Amino acid sequence: MKRVFPLLLAVLLLLAGPAQAAAEEAVLAGGCFWCLEHDLEKLPGVLEAESGYSGGRESNPTYRQVSAGGTGHQEAVRVRFDPAKISYATLLRAYWRNVDPLDGGGQFCDRGSSYRPVIFPQGEPQQQQAQASLQAAARELGQPVSAIQVQIKPFTRFWPAEGYHQDYAELNSVKYRYYRWACGRDRRLDQVWGSKARTRGAWVSAR
């Protein structure tokens, strides 16, 4: 009888298949969180993207407080992803090509510190990859690193935004598409990144 249980366990493990890697998360700010959430959640390997706030002083901030600029928070997106299907480095490439890294005063038509682009690394590996991505983005754009306005700030905490902000692009598709067009987001991305805009492909040398 004692030999049956190890054999049964081995069979069950084989049927279950290889163990899945634990999900990881990234927190990124890039202007309007409706847009960044929509751009990142459709990537293969992304499990979930959630709009919220990060980088500031206040606990449980509201949209009104953050947009007023008094909390120090940025509109941000928390991305849960399967590292076996998409790496943090690949996710960062997609992030860069969905923001204007030359604009530190906001993003597109949204102005102010709550809309500035920020990467919030969690731990030393993410910190190193974030720094490497900054260098690569500068090379691809043919710009000195000093011209890049995306900040890299240590992650402290992410606060989910109010429910009506979540999945806004899917639940309010007409309003979202009009806002994105009127804000000039894609026009500016095309100006900055050219054919690489909104992609996650390998970095290229300066154009």
Side-chain angles (χ1 to χ4, degrees):
M1 228 10 224
K2 290 181 180 179
R3 295 180 180 179
V4 173
F5 290 108
L7 180 59
L8 180 60
L9 179 59
V11 171
L12 290 174
L13 289 174
L14 285 173
L15 291 175
Q20 293 185 342
E24 297 181 11
E25 71 174 39
V27 176
L28 305 161
C32 170
F33 47 24
W34 299 340
C35 296
L36 193 61
E37 176 194 292
H38 179 256
D39 292 333
L40 298 181
E41 69 182 356
K42 61 188 179 183
L43 295 173
V46 167
L47 305 173
E48 178 186 27
E50 181 179 20
S51 291
Y53 316 106
S54 197
R57 301 173 297 276
E58 299 294 326
S59 298
N60 295 306
T62 66
Y63 177 74
R64 184 183 297 272
Q65 290 172 324
V66 173
S67 59
T71 69
H73 288 286
Q74 279 76 49
E75 287 195 10
V77 175
R78 177 168 59 188
V79 181
R80 292 182 62 252
F81 63 97
D82 180 349
K85 296 180 179 179
I86 185 170
S87 66
Y88 182 65
T90 300
L91 185 61
L92 285 177
R93 288 199 300 271
Y95 162 78
W96 279 97
R97 290 167 178 156
N98 277 286
V99 300
D100 179 356
L102 305 177
D103 186 358
Q107 285 287 282
F108 314 103
C109 68
D110 294 312
R111 313 312 301 162
S113 62
S114 63
Y115 294 106
R116 73 165 302 136
V118 183
I119 299 171
F120 296 99
Q122 301 182 50
E124 187 59 26
Q126 285 196 3
Q127 174 72 25
Q128 292 176 0
Q129 292 181 74
Q131 292 290 347
S133 74
L134 186 154
Q135 299 282 339
R139 287 195 302 271
E140 181 162 304
L141 295 173
Q143 296 284 343
V145 171
S146 59
I148 304 301
Q149 300 300 307
V150 174
Q151 289 186 324
I152 298 176
K153 296 168 57 177
F155 174 75
T156 53
R157 181 157 183 177
F158 176 86
W159 302 93
E162 296 84 342
Y164 67 90
H165 288 299
Q166 308 300 335
D167 298 315
Y168 190 90
E170 285 70 35
L171 299 177
N172 304 274
S173 60
V174 174
K175 290 181 179 178
Y176 170 76
R177 287 198 299 269
Y178 176 77
Y179 160 77
R180 185 171 181 125
W181 172 82
C183 202
R185 191 177 185 106
D186 292 307
R187 291 192 296 276
R188 178 57 180 162
L189 289 175
D190 290 340
Q191 289 175 354
V192 174
W193 294 104
S195 63
K196 290 291 182 178
R198 296 172 297 279
T199 69
R200 64 184 191 280
W203 293 112
V204 297
S205 58
R207 292 174 291 174

